[in-house]
Amino acid sequence: MEYWKRKNAKLAHRWDVLDYEVEEERPRPQYTALCSDFAKNPVTGALEPHFPERLRMARIIAGLICILLMMVLVIVFIVAVIIYRLLIMVPLFKNELLRPNAGIYANMSAAMVNLVLIMCLGKVYEKLAYKMTQWGKYVNHSLGELEMHRTQSNFENQLIFKVFLFQFVNFYASIFYVAFFKGRFIGYPGNYIYFFGLRNEDCNNGGCLIELAQQLLVIMVGKQIINNCQEILIPKMRTWWHTYTKDLNKQSTGSTSSVQTECMFVEDYKLIPYEGLFDEYLEMVLQFGFVTIFVAAFPLAPFFALLNNWIEIRLDANKLVRETRRPLAERAQNIGVWFRILEVLVRIAVISNAESGTDNLQKLSGPTADCNAA
């Protein structure tokens, strides 16, 4: 992180953007077009579009309430996965062939179900968060934008905060449950705690470390595989649909001379629009969380992250060069709120690894210590 701070400051100084967002960033066109009030700028004295801060805060609070409701939905799905795991254990233990590895089969199948739910909820919420942050794109402009952010930086920071906060809970909640809560509320013989008529699940004698590693393997690697498949298939499908709806193939079947004289911007139009770096940043930050927060439980996480990044570089290069239009360069002072998110993840990682490592070492060394004491 400190290395990136120095690198960021060096690049910002070289490109002369150290004070860009403070001094030079213009209001968003959507904000200017949809604001009905004007106020005098205290610096220049000129009238500028203005939206009351009190109304904006009320709308932001409404968006946060929506985030909390979605988080509650995530918790409900986690509870459903726990119940599924408890129910699937019964027939697995009754089968003599599957009984020795019944716990592994139940945990892996539950992790796969959880991964599917995570990916579906993530896609749904990303669309919802964008609509909450920029409502005017989807409804009549008389309703205006829901939160009415003045600059593009403020708009992106709010969108990033909403999406990442939900995705953090979405991806990591089940893992935190296994790491810190599973097996702690089971009761004792004669007074076990039951959950929807089922006895609360417990870890094995060595703790939940193996199950935590299995959960991380399925969610982290499964997410990488799904994302890479999407990187390959979705641009090709969108390109085909764009070509089909615009009849671009028919337009290119004219005379040879006319085809040869097509300008570069015509060829560029045949490609799909570039959608920005938001999804790329989100994917890398979530991967950074997997690598740092739970590395004590899953030491292979950095290897899978390195392998995924190597594949991701080639897929992104192919997408940028062959599938999408040329991106428009935009000035920015830094990577914005993403850096603060990374700092928070680093602090969580220190606490998580210290706690999970100490707890699992105590469970693993407990029987040995008791025998030595005896």
Side-chain angles (χ1 to χ4, degrees):
M1 297 296 291
E2 296 301 320
Y3 170 78
W4 171 247
K5 286 182 182 179
R6 293 192 294 270
K7 183 70 173 179
N8 181 82
K10 181 179 178 180
L11 293 176
H13 180 267
R14 179 186 299 174
W15 296 337
D16 193 24
V17 292
L18 282 172
D19 300 320
Y20 168 69
E21 293 180 4
V22 178
E23 298 179 356
E24 300 180 35
E25 191 170 16
R26 301 291 183 180
R28 301 173 62 234
Q30 297 91 333
Y31 175 86
T32 304
L34 298 175
C35 274
S36 57
D37 297 333
F38 290 84
K40 183 178 292 186
N41 189 309
V43 177
T44 62
L47 286 177
E48 292 183 353
H50 174 72
F51 189 78
E53 191 66 26
R54 179 176 57 84
L55 294 179
R56 180 183 293 111
M57 289 304 300
R59 297 182 180 190
I60 291 176
I61 291 173
L64 292 177
I65 293 174
C66 183
I67 295 176
L68 292 177
L69 293 177
M70 290 295 296
M71 289 181 180
V72 171
L73 183 61
V74 171
I75 302 300
V76 170
F77 278 113
I78 291 175
V79 173
V81 172
I82 294 172
I83 295 175
Y84 163 80
R85 185 161 51 224
L86 293 172
L87 292 175
I88 201 67
M89 290 282 282
V90 176
L92 289 175
F93 272 108
K94 289 182 179 180
N95 191 312
E96 294 183 359
L97 294 176
L98 302 178
R99 185 179 301 167
N101 298 317
I104 297 176
Y105 297 146
N107 293 333
M108 295 295 286
S109 63
M112 292 178 183
V113 172
N114 190 29
L115 174 64
V116 173
L117 294 175
I118 285 172
M119 299 302 294
C120 293
L121 284 174
K123 291 298 181 183
V124 170
Y125 182 76
E126 284 184 22
K127 300 296 183 182
L128 179 62
Y130 195 87
K131 288 185 179 182
M132 287 191 299
T133 310
Q134 187 182 15
W135 196 263
K137 183 177 179 180
Y138 296 92
V139 297
N140 192 292
H141 279 190
S142 61
L143 295 178
E145 293 189 334
L146 184 61
E147 296 181 3
M148 294 292 290
H149 297 290
R150 181 177 180 273
T151 63
Q152 185 66 23
S153 297
N154 292 337
F155 170 80
E156 291 177 352
N157 288 343
Q158 286 294 326
L159 178 62
I160 291 168
F161 172 75
K162 290 185 181 70
V163 174
F164 178 78
L165 184 61
F166 173 78
Q167 294 286 34
F168 181 88
V169 176
N170 190 27
F171 276 94
Y172 301 144
S174 60
I175 302 175
F176 273 106
Y177 164 74
V178 176
F180 301 111
F181 298 100
K182 184 177 180 180
R184 295 181 182 270
F185 309 100
I186 60 173
Y188 52 88
N191 189 24
Y192 287 111
I193 298 175
Y194 287 84
F195 187 70
F196 289 101
L198 300 170
R199 178 179 160 183
N200 204 355
E201 56 183 355
D202 190 10
C203 301
N204 55 33
N205 294 331
C208 293
L209 192 62
I210 301 300
E211 182 182 346
L212 180 59
Q214 294 170 352
Q215 190 91 355
L216 284 165
L217 175 66
V218 172
I219 294 178
M220 178 182 174
V221 179
K223 174 182 176 296
Q224 292 173 350
I225 293 173
I226 293 174
N227 285 341
N228 288 333
C229 291
Q230 290 177 343
E231 291 273 358
I232 297 172
L233 297 177
I234 291 180
K236 294 185 180 300
M237 295 174 62
R238 292 183 59 207
T239 301
W240 174 84
W241 181 252
H242 176 70
T243 304
Y244 175 77
T245 55
K246 302 296 183 180
D247 291 331
L248 298 179
N249 287 333
K250 295 180 180 179
Q251 297 176 13
S252 299
T253 56
S255 62
T256 305
S257 59
S258 63
V259 173
Q260 292 176 349
T261 56
E262 282 187 343
C263 299
M264 180 60 68
F265 63 84
V266 177
E267 293 292 332
D268 202 25
Y269 175 73
K270 295 179 181 180
L271 304 175
I272 58 176
Y274 183 69
E275 295 185 342
L277 295 171
F278 177 81
D279 291 333
E280 307 294 339
Y281 272 116
L282 181 62
E283 182 180 356
M284 290 296 104
V285 169
L286 290 174
Q287 178 180 268
F288 181 79
F290 282 116
V291 171
T292 56
I293 298 176
F294 308 106
V295 68
F298 189 46
L300 286 176
F303 168 75
F304 284 111
L306 178 63
L307 181 62
N308 174 71
N309 290 347
W310 180 76
I311 298 173
E312 185 80 15
I313 288 173
R314 307 316 307 166
L315 293 178
D316 287 342
N318 179 74
K319 181 176 67 174
L320 287 169
V321 174
R322 303 180 61 183
E323 304 287 349
T324 65
R325 299 173 190 171
R326 181 181 299 175
L328 297 177
E330 296 181 6
R331 300 183 69 191
Q333 186 177 4
N334 46 43
I335 62 174
V337 73
W338 290 115
F339 185 78
R340 280 176 279 177
I341 290 174
L342 291 174
E343 287 184 321
V344 172
L345 288 178
V346 169
R347 287 168 172 78
I348 295 175
V350 173
I351 300 172
S352 173
N353 286 298
E355 174 65 23
S356 62
T358 303
D359 186 44
N360 285 290
L361 284 175
Q362 288 177 351
K363 290 181 179 179
L364 290 172
S365 61
T368 305
D370 294 341
C371 292
N372 292 335

